[in-house]
């Protein structure tokens, strides 16, 4: 088995400055590191157990199949915070049939982002006997 020491999502946005403003200022992700210079420099953000790297530039948005899934402690509180920062809520928090609370937003290139709250009694968190 390959021992994975770290993981990262790499996005090549159509407008790197706009994407840095979205992920850094509006979503409030903390910067792990930055590299290079100029408008296409790289910025790597913390994503809990992984990282999101914004670097370079693309002429086209990411493929429609690209999605980000970010776990939050409280989806309703995240909605209030994001609205205050003028982030468009594509779909407000709803409890899904599988028990997770999901809210949908999108980055400036339209990349869907699912903010997920895992309720305390959900099997992903609740493990009786363990």
């Amino acid at each position: 088995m390959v021992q994975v020491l770290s993981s990262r999502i790499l996005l090549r946005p159509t407008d790197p400055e706009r994407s840095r403003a979205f992920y850094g200022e509006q979503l409030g992700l903390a910067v792990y590191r930055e590299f290079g210079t100029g408008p296409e420099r790289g910025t790597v953000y913390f994503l809990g157990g992984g990282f999101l790297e914004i670097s370079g530039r693309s002429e086209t948005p990411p493929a429609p199949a690209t999605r980000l899934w970010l776990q939050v402690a409280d989806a309703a509180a995240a909605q209030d915070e994001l609205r205050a920062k003028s982030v468009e809520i594509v779909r407000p928090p709803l409890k899904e049939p599988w028990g997770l609370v999901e809210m949908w937003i999108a980055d400036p290139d339209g990349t869907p982002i699912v903010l997920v709250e895992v309720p305390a009694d959900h099997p992903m968190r609740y493990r009786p006997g363990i």
Side-chain angles (χ1 to χ4, degrees), residues 40-79:
E40 295 176 24
R41 71 189 179 281
T43 304
V44 181
Y45 297 96
F46 281 104
L47 280 183
F51 301 96
L52 172 66
E53 179 178 324
I54 304 294
S55 64
R57 180 183 300 269
S58 175
E59 296 300 317
T60 59
T66 302
R67 305 259 189 286
L68 297 179
W69 192 92
L70 306 175
Q71 186 174 337
V72 297
D74 183 333
Q79 177 182 18

Side-chain angles (χ1 to χ4, degrees), residues 2 30 34-35 37 56 69-70 75 86-87 89 100 109 113 118 125 130:
V2 175
E34 295 181 287
F35 57 92
T37 60
W69 192 92
L70 306 175
S86 300
V87 173
I89 307 300
L100 298 175
D109 280 328
I113 301 170
V118 181
R125 288 183 48 181
I130 294 180

